[in-house]
Amino acid sequence: GGPRKGENVNHPLKVSLEDLYNGKTVKLAINRQVIVGEPTPCRTCDGQGVVVELRQIALGMVQQLQRRCHDCNGLGYRAKMKKERKVLEVHIDKGMRHNQRVTFRGMADEQPNMEAGDVNFIVQEKEHDVFKRKGADLLITKTLSLNEALCGFEWMLTHLDGRQIVIQSRPGEVIKPEGRTGGAGGGMPFVKIVSNEGMPSRGNPFVKGNLYVLFKVEFPEDGEMDEATVAALRKCLPGAPEMDLEYDEEEVEIAHLDHADVKNFGKGGVAASQDAYDSDDDDERGPKAVQCQQS
Ligand SMILES: [Zn+2]
């Protein structure tokens, strides 16, 4: 039922995360075909949109063929058309998401005897250097020194609306290099949240998601701390061994550690020299780092 409707027109619209956070109105011009005056019924097809052709296929036998009317493109009506430039105000609501659309009903090309289709602007969220978004939640990555991770930290974050937020540890709070272990797969990223500092929800912008902070902890390099520092740390850090290991140096072997890559695990022994030739193939097997940029 109802009148036929013309095709919708979709325009992708790139929108920054800032604009999706704060909301924005963008003025965009479109060109469309509009009808001038009143459409008149097509004389060729008598307003039917189709014409009937009779074809004799044998003596006394006539086939009736129906085909679309070429003069009115099957619309049944003809009209004078003109091109119109139209400026549309596209309202980007706070909290809109990737692929959501802003619709202007009936703003596509007009056609006689037909309802005009819609013009849709489809939000294409741009990548952000600092914030990653999933739903209403945001995520940033923060690298701390071991000192900050153990003894406390604060840093200034500029949010998507320009507010400056000082993110501050609580007394005694410890940031770890990785979260709880996830079975044989190894450690999970260590994340915490700043509650209600994610994206606003569309239609209810006061309800916000959370801001996730994915922490990385940078440990000192070999030899970076002098002996006095190490001695002082040994005294005050928890977990110091209560007594020295007892052994007879004549009977045990002392071993030291060399640098290693877990990708080479299993490649030791005689076969190692053969495997060295195709070691490039295994480059992608290693654990994948989460691709996030530090604020
Ligand atoms: Zn016609």
Side-chain angles (χ1 to χ4, degrees):
R4 285 188 299 163
K5 195 175 169 186
E7 281 191 17
N8 296 338
V9 179
N10 296 327
H11 297 289
L13 180 63
K14 285 191 177 174
V15 187
S16 70
L17 199 56
E18 281 88 348
D19 288 344
L20 292 171
Y21 186 98
N22 298 300
K24 193 183 189 180
T25 298
V26 199
K27 282 187 180 172
L28 291 167
I30 57 163
N31 288 312
R32 59 191 299 250
Q33 295 286 337
V34 291
I35 294 167
V36 183
E38 279 294 311
T40 51
C42 174
R43 288 203 192 111
T44 312
C45 62
D46 203 19
Q48 298 305 301
V50 288
V51 287
V52 175
E53 280 176 349
L54 298 178
R55 195 159 63 118
Q56 183 168 315
I57 52 172
L59 194 65
M61 284 181 74
V62 173
Q63 193 184 30
Q64 213 180 54
L65 289 171
Q66 224 181 41
R67 65 162 176 81
R68 206 164 77 130
C69 173
H70 294 314
D71 287 345
C72 63
N73 275 324
L75 295 169
Y77 282 77
R78 301 172 74 172
K80 212 180 140 202
M81 307 295 295
K82 71 165 184 187
K83 205 166 218 181
E84 182 189 70
R85 188 181 135 92
K86 180 98 185 166
V87 176
L88 301 175
E89 284 198 358
V90 183
H91 297 285
I92 305 296
D93 295 336
K94 290 180 180 187
M96 278 190 89
R97 295 182 188 190
H98 189 67
N99 282 338
Q100 280 188 329
R101 52 184 59 192
V102 181
T103 296
F104 292 85
R105 297 223 166 276
M107 271 298 153
D109 288 346
E110 288 184 349
Q111 283 174 293
N113 200 28
M114 204 182 244
E115 190 187 330
D118 303 332
V119 170
N120 297 312
F121 292 96
I122 299 171
V123 168
Q124 302 296 293
E125 182 183 301
K126 288 192 217 165
E127 287 227 354
H128 196 276
D129 286 343
V130 175
F131 296 92
K132 304 287 164 222
R133 179 190 191 182
K134 192 171 185 182
D137 291 331
L138 291 171
L139 182 143
I140 58 173
T141 300
K142 180 65 185 175
T143 301
L144 298 177
S145 68
L146 181 59
N147 186 312
E148 291 173 303
L150 294 177
C151 308
F153 56 87
E154 59 180 4
W155 84 93
M156 181 94 77
L157 174 76
T158 304
H159 211 312
L160 291 164
D161 56 356
R163 270 180 308 135
Q164 294 199 303
I165 301 173
V166 175
I167 299 181
Q168 198 175 58
S169 56
R170 294 189 175 95
E173 185 174 355
V174 172
I175 301 300
K176 297 167 188 178
E178 64 184 33
R180 62 186 187 286
T181 48
M188 302 279 284
F190 189 85
V191 288
K192 295 200 125 179
I193 57 170
V194 182
S195 295
N196 307 316
E197 283 295 353
M199 295 292 288
S201 306
R202 189 186 186 188
N204 199 349
F206 295 106
V207 179
K208 287 180 180 165
N210 296 314
L211 173 62
Y212 283 70
V213 183
L214 191 156
F215 284 102
K216 293 180 191 293
V217 179
E218 265 180 3
F219 276 62
E221 296 298 329
D222 288 349
E224 198 178 325
M225 297 182 297
D226 59 32
E227 272 181 49
T229 307
V230 173
L233 281 175
R234 187 190 290 278
K235 209 176 279 179
C236 57
L237 280 178
E242 281 177 23
M243 56 183 73
D244 284 343
L245 199 58
E246 277 182 39
Y247 52 83
D248 182 345
E249 277 191 43
E250 300 290 314
E251 286 179 22
V252 301
E253 290 171 41
I254 307 278
H256 293 294
L257 299 163
D258 298 319
H259 287 288
D261 187 333
V262 76
K263 281 188 281 186
N264 294 328
F265 182 58
K267 291 184 178 174
V270 175
S273 58
Q274 287 169 333
D275 286 359
Y277 291 106
D278 58 16
S279 63
D280 280 351
D281 300 345
D282 291 329
D283 272 354
E284 287 176 358
R285 276 205 210 153
K288 285 226 169 74
V290 177
Q291 295 289 311
C292 290
Q293 234 165 312
Q294 184 188 344
S295 66

